[in-house]
Amino acid sequence: MTEKKIPTHLAIILDGNGRWAKKRNLPRLMGHRAGLRKLEDMVRLVKREGIRYFSVYAFSTENWNRPQMEVTGLMSLFRYYIRRKVDEIKSEGARIRFCGRKDRLPEDLLAQMKWAEDYTKDEKILDFILCINYGGRAEIIDAVNKLIAENPQTPVTEQDLRKHFYLPDVPDPDLIIRTSGELRLSNFWLWESAYSEYYFTDIHWPDFDEAELKRALENYAGRERRYGGLKS
Ligand code: IPE
Ligand code: IPE
Ligand code: MG
């Protein structure tokens, strides 16, 4: 029997928290709370599947355009989630990493993010990457500016650019799942998704479960990745 193909890096665009809440006549923040809670199970399930890198898109550079109350509420939820869940995540052998721009985030949240990264840095089973204040375009622009500052003359290669991304050691996502029916990337892993496989489901993120994850992984296992070459 051939071994089942599993993604090394699974990425999820956590979408639909607002619609999940609306369906239940709840405030949007209750949807975000349910969404973060769902992440706890997912870390465990993803680890069990043997995935090495798990990244989630939790707040984009464009999400600052939401009403102030929702943004502030989300920042509080991130604070709460990190404080309360870091030990559980660490006990799974998972290292927490954050990916995105550091500007605009509240100072105390930044300090907590740094603490959580340091506290879990020796865990080696799973890298759990929370993309907060992440935008693919911002990442490329930040990398270009770092390159120019270092060396304004030399022509740059793809490798040079990649070395300046937020998490240069993390391999490109093999599979990107987006929940809640929208068929777009919304500025997630722009450069890194050049050869990613996609899986879309109508399920709102807080309703995503083990069966859904298995369906997505089964589907991925049946894909043939060619990278522009010929069928093997
Ligand atoms: C995703 O849920 C979480 C964030 C973008 C912060 P949404 O808040 O986008 O939920 P919908 O799309 O309005 O249902
Ligand atoms: C994408 O969801 C960003 C995150 C999940 C963090 P959005 O809800 O912000 O995306 P659009 O606005 O529908 O494209
Ligand atoms: Mg949305």
Side-chain angles (χ1 to χ4, degrees):
M1 210 179 86
T2 52
E3 229 176 276
K4 193 180 140 198
K5 205 165 60 177
I6 50 159
T8 303
H9 178 175
L10 168 69
I12 306 188
I13 300 172
L14 314 174
D15 200 16
N17 291 347
R19 279 164 280 177
W20 180 92
K22 191 166 184 212
K23 234 171 67 182
R24 289 162 179 77
N25 280 319
L26 294 169
R28 291 179 59 84
L29 273 175
M30 296 295 273
H32 293 313
R33 200 175 78 166
L36 277 176
R37 203 172 274 164
K38 180 56 66 171
L39 264 186
E40 297 160 34
D41 314 338
M42 222 30 78
V43 169
R44 219 169 14 252
L45 292 171
V46 158
K47 175 189 137 183
R48 213 191 292 156
E49 293 292 338
I51 287 161
R52 179 65 185 80
Y53 299 87
F54 176 39
S55 64
V56 296
Y57 201 14
F59 192 88
S60 75
T61 45
E62 288 71 39
N63 288 147
W64 296 107
N65 297 328
R66 296 195 177 191
Q68 182 63 33
M69 209 179 87
E70 181 167 347
V71 170
T72 312
L74 273 163
M75 296 301 144
S76 298
L77 283 170
F78 293 145
R79 254 184 226 110
Y80 177 83
Y81 178 78
I82 297 167
R83 193 169 56 238
R84 298 294 294 263
K85 295 298 160 192
V86 79
D87 275 310
E88 205 175 306
I89 293 167
K90 185 174 159 72
S91 71
E92 292 290 334
R95 171 183 176 194
I96 299 187
R97 305 177 76 179
F98 294 93
C99 181
R101 269 197 180 151
K102 300 291 179 252
D103 70 332
R104 296 188 80 170
L105 292 172
E107 282 299 323
D108 64 327
L109 176 60
L110 279 173
Q112 213 179 22
M113 285 158 64
K114 181 156 183 351
W115 169 78
E117 283 187 329
D118 286 345
Y119 183 61
T120 60
K121 70 178 186 329
D122 295 326
E123 302 306 327
K124 299 212 161 41
I125 297 175
L126 176 74
D127 279 26
F128 175 41
I129 301 161
L130 281 146
C131 299
I132 295 178
N133 195 16
Y134 176 86
R137 289 182 177 178
E139 179 176 44
I140 294 168
I141 291 298
D142 289 351
V144 168
N145 282 323
K146 279 186 235 159
L147 265 174
I148 294 172
E150 269 175 25
N151 195 340
Q153 249 107 51
T154 321
V156 299
T157 63
E158 287 190 13
Q159 284 74 18
D160 294 330
L161 194 63
R162 184 181 284 270
K163 265 189 244 153
H164 291 79
F165 284 162
Y166 299 133
L167 305 175
D169 61 299
V170 173
D172 290 346
D174 300 288
L175 173 65
I176 299 180
I177 297 176
R178 182 168 186 148
T179 55
S180 214
E182 245 63 73
L183 308 180
R184 53 178 173 254
L185 263 184
S186 302
N187 206 11
F188 193 34
W189 292 140
L190 276 193
W191 173 285
E192 296 87 342
S193 63
Y195 273 98
S196 301
E197 299 292 326
Y198 293 89
Y199 182 88
F200 297 101
T201 168
D202 286 337
I203 295 210
H204 301 314
W205 170 251
D207 288 330
F208 194 87
D209 60 8
E210 184 172 7
E212 269 300 313
L213 177 70
K214 286 202 181 299
R215 244 192 302 278
L217 294 177
E218 277 302 316
N219 190 291
Y220 171 81
R223 308 262 182 108
E224 189 192 28
R225 304 181 73 186
R226 289 194 290 276
Y227 302 98
L230 295 177
K231 243 173 126 132
S232 52

